[in-house]
């Protein structure tokens, strides 16, 4: 929509002003650092950082209702920089001029309500928000759009050049990093480190297709992460893992969108996210906190973080009810079909602890919960969801398994409405579905395929091998008619079809 069409109260705010005064703040010692430096941990205490805005209080000059209007009207703009996560520019990266923003179609992913059958089976009303419908088919594009735009901003100001961006990945970070970096080639080159044989072939093909340097490393994700951390302290590289605070900032958009998707009403809502490196749950909580503090929403939704029992260090940490006695213990993971979340030593653990504490205290009661699910339930619920019109990945299945568990143990109640993060597209993880259907999942996954969930193709061939067409040898007209009739009859029999009159 053209600018002069907008209502008068919204018009002055529709194009964001670049007013933010952002800085890094250390979660350990609270030291502050300029965002003009590439920084991932505190130089003095080595803790992770979060980005804050010195002008955040000025956001309060606009009422919550007007913010809602601004964001609703911004939907009508045709400016690419404001079509993605930067619709919420003032809350996401308010120092970044629109010219530096990289937009590849991320964000504003569909929210799809479960049908009656599935709701009946689960026991309450819920939606999937399909972050698999982002450009590289996972939510990581939200954080990557933010991280890469921040680098473009530094490049445009001549503060950095010849950027080599690196990341370790369980598959999706590398796909997103390689995609966004390739858009800015040759200004940015990317290198990704993947645990050998611990990402799906689709995920491996993505950074290769984007032209990144792809390194496969023996071990698991946590091992790759250590190498990338070493590289980022010893060499001049840009780190694109969620240790990078810009990633968290961009991923906060997921919460802003949920607020907008549900007309700013977060009462009786439950948001369910899988936890791996714990960057996403940190971002999701932080996003709701920011909108709550700006009066854009008037309640904080319940947050449920889900972990597989094969990779559950965050869940275990919170098992101890006494805050003072909690102690984080990194663990060795076991094979998980929720492979993108198979992390034993999450980098963002200090963020989770700090932000969850603030979230609960703002809510005035416990509002952040952690549940643990079995591998079996992850796989079964993913398959059941997708038989009902969804496109959930295994981590999306983990969310649904987590919701069922949360209902069971009375953390969630029937009157509430849940929004589940389908963090990636089902086709990225189709290998696990395939292994399940063929009953070939290795024992270590501890999954017994349920025959009711198995689906396999049937090969239908004619009784007479001479009536088999091939690309090289076509059948004569009469034989071909016989072939069509034979095969049709066999399919009709399988499907129990009745003859038409
Ligand atoms: C990265 C990822 C996760 C885990 O998110 P964290 O921020 O690491 O906790 C879950 N699902 C998918 C599909 C992912 O790519
Ligand atoms: Zn510090």
């Amino acid at each position: 929509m053209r600018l002069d069409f907008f209502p008068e109260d919204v018009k002055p705010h529709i194009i964001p002003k670049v007013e933010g005064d952002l800085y890094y703040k250390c979660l350990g010692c609270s030291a502050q650092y300029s965002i003009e430096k590439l920084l991932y941990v505190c130089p003095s205490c080595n803790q992770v950082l979060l980005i804050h805005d010195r002008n955040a209080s000025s956001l309060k000059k606009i009422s919550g209702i007007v913010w809602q209007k601004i964001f609703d009207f911004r939907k009508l703009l045709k400016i690419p920089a404001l079509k993605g996560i930067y619709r919420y520019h003032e809350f996401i990266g308010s120092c970044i001029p629109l010219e530096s923003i990289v937009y590849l179609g991320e964000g504003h992913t569909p929210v799809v309500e479960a049908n009656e059958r599935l709701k009946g089976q689960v026991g309450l009303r819920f939606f999937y928000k399909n972050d698999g419908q982002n450009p590289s088919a996972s939510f990581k594009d939200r954080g990557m759009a933010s991280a890469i735009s921040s680098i473009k901003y530094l490049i445009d100001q001549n503060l950095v050049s010849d950027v080599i961006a690196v990341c370790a990945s369980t598959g999706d970070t590398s796909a997103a990093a390689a995609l966004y970096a390739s858009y800015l080639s040759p200004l940015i080159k990317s290198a990704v480190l993947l645990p050998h044989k611990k990402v799906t072939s689709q995920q491996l093909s993505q950074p290769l297709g984007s032209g990144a340097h792809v390194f496969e490393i023996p071990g698991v994700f946590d091992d790759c992460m250590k190498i990338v951390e070493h590289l980022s302290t010893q060499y001049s590289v840009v780190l694109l893992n969620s240790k990078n605070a810009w990633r968290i900032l961009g991923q906060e958009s997921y919460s802003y969108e949920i607020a907008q998707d549900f007309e700013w009403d977060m009462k009786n809502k439950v948001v369910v996210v899988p936890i791996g490196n714990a960057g996403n749950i940190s971002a999701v909580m932080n996003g709701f906190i920011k909108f709550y503090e700006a009066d854009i929403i008037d309640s904080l939704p319940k947050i449920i973080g889900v972990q597989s029992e094969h990779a559950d260090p965050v869940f275990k940490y919170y098992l101890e009810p006494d805050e003072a006695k909690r102690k984080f213990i990194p663990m060795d993971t076991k094979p998980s079909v929720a492979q993108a979340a198979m992390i034993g030593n999450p980098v963002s653990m200090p963020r989770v602890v700090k932000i969850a504490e603030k979230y609960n205290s703002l809510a005035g009661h416990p509002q952040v919960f952690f549940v643990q699910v079995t591998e079996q339930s992850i796989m079964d619920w993913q398959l059941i969801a997708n038989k009902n019109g969804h496109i959930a990945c295994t981590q999306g299945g983990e969310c649904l398994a987590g919701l069922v568990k949360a209902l069971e143990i009375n953390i969630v109640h029937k009157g509430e409405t849940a929004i589940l993060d389908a963090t990636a597209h089902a086709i990225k993880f189709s290998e696990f579905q395939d292994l399940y259907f063929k009953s070939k999942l290795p024992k270590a996954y501890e999954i017994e395929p349920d025959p009711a969930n198995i689906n396999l193709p049937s090969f239908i061939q004619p009784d007479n091998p001479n009536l088999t067409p091939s690309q090289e040898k076509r059948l004569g007209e009469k034989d071909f008619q016989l072939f069509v009739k034979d095969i049709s009859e066999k399919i009709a029999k399988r499907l129990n079809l009745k003859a038409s009159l």
Side-chain angles (χ1 to χ4, degrees):
M1 188 159 87
R2 266 172 35 194
L3 220 46
D4 49 325
F5 289 176
F6 286 90
E8 290 306 321
D9 57 339
V10 164
K11 210 184 278 178
H13 307 294
I14 246 336
I15 307 295
K17 294 167 197 70
V18 183
E19 292 181 329
D21 182 7
L22 306 195
Y23 61 95
Y24 291 115
K25 185 175 172 192
C26 170
L27 261 86
C29 70
S30 298
Q32 300 185 6
Y33 302 98
S34 162
I35 54 154
E36 298 196 339
K37 280 190 229 124
L38 295 168
L39 214 57
Y40 311 107
V41 290
C42 175
S44 73
C45 80
N46 215 34
Q47 264 285 17
V48 285
L49 311 166
L50 279 175
I51 294 170
H52 294 263
D53 185 353
R54 289 192 186 89
N55 284 345
S57 59
S58 74
L59 300 178
K60 286 244 178 206
K61 287 186 203 143
I62 297 176
S63 72
I65 300 264
V66 173
W67 276 122
Q68 295 173 1
K69 246 175 137 172
I70 293 169
F71 297 138
D72 280 341
F73 274 101
R74 268 189 198 159
K75 275 189 183 180
L76 301 169
L77 285 174
K78 300 291 186 289
I79 301 167
L82 298 174
K83 283 174 103 49
I85 60 168
Y86 286 94
R87 177 186 295 170
Y88 314 100
H89 187 273
E90 293 85 346
F91 292 81
I92 275 208
S94 48
C95 62
I96 301 193
L98 302 199
E99 309 81 71
S100 300
I101 289 173
V102 178
Y103 169 68
L104 300 184
E106 64 285 344
H108 309 294
T109 50
V111 175
V112 179
E113 184 164 5
N115 62 18
E116 293 306 317
R117 181 167 87 140
L118 187 54
K119 273 189 280 194
Q121 218 170 331
V122 169
L124 90 172
R125 183 169 182 241
F126 74 94
F127 296 74
Y128 264 116
K129 183 163 168 66
N130 285 336
D131 259 24
Q133 283 171 271
N134 275 300
S136 79
S138 88
F139 78 81
K140 299 293 201 301
D141 294 327
R142 297 177 180 278
M144 216 48 81
S146 167
I148 293 287
S149 297
S150 78
I151 295 165
K152 179 68 168 39
Y153 168 61
L154 298 182
I155 292 173
D156 290 348
Q157 294 199 6
N158 294 317
L159 291 168
V160 299
S161 60
D162 301 317
V163 173
I164 307 272
V166 299
C167 67
S169 179
T170 53
D172 293 332
T173 299
S174 51
L179 177 67
Y180 282 77
S182 74
Y183 188 76
L184 291 184
S185 63
L187 292 176
I188 302 187
K189 291 188 179 61
S190 66
V192 306
L193 277 69
L194 302 170
H196 185 50
K197 296 203 164 141
K198 291 281 186 302
V199 305
T200 69
S201 52
Q202 293 83 353
Q203 289 171 319
L204 177 58
S205 81
Q206 289 186 291
L208 290 171
S210 296
H213 296 280
V214 177
F215 300 103
E216 296 186 283
I217 313 288
V220 293
F221 169 83
D222 295 296
D223 305 320
C224 289
M225 192 64 220
K226 286 281 178 266
I227 296 168
V228 164
E229 283 171 349
H230 187 79
L231 285 170
S232 74
T233 50
Q234 303 298 312
Y235 300 91
S236 170
V237 294
V238 170
L239 177 70
L240 287 180
N241 280 96
S242 55
K243 197 160 206 179
N244 181 333
W246 289 96
R247 285 273 314 278
I248 306 297
L249 202 57
Q251 285 167 207
E252 290 168 8
S253 61
Y254 188 78
S255 302
Y256 303 155
E257 288 174 25
I258 288 177
Q260 191 165 20
D261 289 334
F262 288 88
E263 301 284 12
W264 319 105
D265 179 11
M266 291 291 99
K267 224 167 245 104
N268 295 322
K269 302 292 190 302
V270 180
V271 175
V272 188
V273 286
I275 305 177
N277 225 359
N280 204 33
I281 190 165
S282 303
V284 168
M285 291 187 291
N286 220 27
F288 285 122
I289 288 175
K290 285 187 189 170
F291 264 22
Y292 182 74
E293 289 184 328
D295 283 332
I296 299 170
I297 52 175
D298 57 16
S299 51
L300 289 167
K302 195 175 281 178
I303 305 285
I304 312 271
V306 191
Q307 293 210 293
S308 157
E309 60 183 6
H310 285 187
D312 59 356
V314 182
F315 168 78
K316 289 216 177 94
Y317 173 86
Y318 282 101
L319 267 184
E320 168 59 57
D322 183 353
E323 257 174 62
K325 284 198 201 140
R326 282 179 194 152
K327 190 168 176 300
F328 183 73
I329 305 165
M331 66 178 286
D332 289 324
T333 55
K334 287 199 250 167
S336 173
V337 292
Q339 191 167 259
M342 198 178 72
I343 295 174
N345 191 9
V347 161
S348 282
M349 191 62 203
R351 289 174 174 147
V352 174
V353 172
K354 198 122 193 176
I355 300 170
E357 191 186 309
K358 180 169 181 189
Y359 201 96
N360 287 330
S361 104
L362 282 173
H365 53 85
Q367 192 69 336
V368 181
F369 300 89
F370 300 88
V371 300
Q372 179 211 49
V373 295
T374 63
E375 287 291 310
Q376 181 80 45
S377 65
I378 294 173
M379 207 60 225
D380 287 341
W381 280 112
Q382 184 215 2
L383 297 173
I384 293 167
N386 293 354
K387 284 202 287 185
N388 284 278
H390 296 283
I391 49 170
C393 61
T394 43
Q395 296 68 221
E398 184 175 17
C399 285
L400 185 49
L403 178 64
V404 171
K405 183 68 170 279
L407 261 171
E408 235 173 69
I409 58 178
N410 275 318
I411 291 173
V412 169
H413 311 285
K414 279 195 185 306
E416 295 176 303
T417 296
I419 300 109
L420 276 51
D421 195 345
T423 44
H425 200 291
I427 53 178
K428 279 204 188 209
F429 295 87
S430 59
E431 284 170 13
F432 292 111
Q433 173 182 297
D434 203 47
L435 289 168
Y436 183 106
F437 287 171
K438 291 179 178 153
S439 299
K440 280 189 178 157
L441 270 167
K443 279 231 163 352
Y445 287 91
E446 299 183 279
I447 295 175
E448 225 23 82
D450 176 350
N453 289 337
I454 291 179
N455 196 12
L456 289 165
S458 316
F459 185 55
I460 312 278
Q461 49 187 335
D463 297 328
N464 179 351
N466 293 329
L467 294 184
T468 306
S470 74
Q471 197 163 29
E472 301 76 37
K473 193 164 154 279
R474 307 305 300 158
L475 295 176
E477 183 56 25
K478 206 169 134 248
D479 284 351
F480 186 65
Q481 290 304 333
L482 288 171
F483 164 78
V484 169
K485 187 159 177 287
D486 183 16
I487 300 291
S488 300
E489 280 169 7
K490 290 193 162 88
I491 291 173
K493 195 168 167 208
R494 289 282 184 96
L495 295 177
N496 260 325
L497 299 182
K498 293 186 182 55
S500 57
L501 297 172

